Amino acid sequence: QLTFRSIWYGVLATFVSLVVGYPMAYYVARLAPEKYRNLLIALVVLPYWASYLVRVYAIKLLLAKNGIVPVLATYLPFVDQQPSLLFNAFSVQVGLIYIWIPFMILPAYASLEQIDFTLNEAAMDLGADRLNAFIHVTFPLSMPGVVAGSLLVFIPSVGAYIIPELLGGPSTVTIGNFIAAQFGSAGNWPLGAAASFVLMVIMLGGIAIYLRRAGGDFL
């Protein structure tokens, strides 16, 4: 159950990061004025000037009972009382997405920046509209960046320890928390090693998918 929960958290964090991060990468690579692109990329990596732990605690403060997010949520017309946003699956997902989404944006941006967008114009000259040109030309050409970003989000999300430990509760324990407990308080090193091996297999599976999908050779 811990393994499936960890995989689910990783898949969901990867999906949301893709849905949110890809349009951002596309905007910077295609729509933003060229003189502002370096600034926008710098803003993406700016949070990494602060410690990983500091950023997780910042999310914890924002989602706490009297934090900014729950207080602002009470002003919504469909919210009757202040919601509980901490120590549950929601807070864990928010933490995973916030921490790792730059790793989706940057590879996607790198792939989009290398695309010759005159190919889109050629597709539209042949009868495709903008949406079809994007679906059949731009997105397939940016797949190496999308797959790389998905891998960079999925693997650390599955093996996350600090985020579920600080933002989650008893119902959000992941395989990373389980492994830490076995090597720590439980003192069951063989079980911890077995769980670590399972996690390693999951990560190697993700790497194998990336290598095959991106055109590399595995083994």
Side-chain angles (χ1 to χ4, degrees), residues 90-146:
F90 173 80
S91 58
V92 172
Q93 283 299 323
V94 169
L96 292 174
I97 294 166
Y98 169 73
I99 293 296
W100 302 121
I101 193 172
F103 289 92
M104 178 66 74
I105 297 173
L106 295 176
Y109 167 77
S111 288
L112 287 165
E113 190 183 32
Q114 296 176 5
I115 294 176
D116 183 1
F117 283 98
T118 58
L119 296 174
N120 286 53
E121 299 175 3
M124 289 187 284
D125 288 340
L126 294 174
D129 56 22
R130 290 185 179 274
L131 179 60
N132 283 325
F134 172 80
I135 293 173
H136 296 289
V137 179
T138 303
F139 190 72
L141 291 175
S142 66
M143 277 304 295
V146 171

Side-chain angles (χ1 to χ4, degrees), residues 14 30 52 66 79 117 147 182-183 190 194 198 200 219:
T14 302
R30 176 62 174 160
Y52 175 93
N66 295 320
V79 177
F117 283 98
V147 175
Q182 298 310 307
F183 282 106
V198 172
M200 182 181 67
L219 297 179

Side-chain angles (χ1 to χ4, degrees), residues 130-205:
R130 290 185 179 274
L131 179 60
N132 283 325
F134 172 80
I135 293 173
H136 296 289
V137 179
T138 303
F139 190 72
L141 291 175
S142 66
M143 277 304 295
V146 171
V147 175
S150 299
L151 186 65
L152 290 173
V153 174
F154 176 76
I155 288 180
S157 296
V158 172
Y161 165 69
I162 294 295
I163 293 174
E165 183 73 15
L166 296 180
L167 302 180
S171 62
T172 61
V173 176
T174 63
I175 190 171
N177 301 116
F178 178 78
I179 292 171
Q182 298 310 307
F183 282 106
S185 57
N188 192 343
W189 285 32
L191 183 57
S196 300
F197 179 78
V198 172
L199 181 59
M200 182 181 67
V201 170
I202 295 172
M203 293 182 175
L204 288 176

Side-chain angles (χ1 to χ4, degrees), residues 71-80:
V71 171
L72 291 177
T74 59
Y75 291 96
L76 297 175
F78 51 85
V79 177
D80 297 329

Side-chain angles (χ1 to χ4, degrees), residues 7-20:
I7 294 174
W8 167 244
Y9 284 168
V11 169
L12 187 57
T14 302
F15 175 76
V16 176
S17 296
L18 177 61
V19 171
V20 176

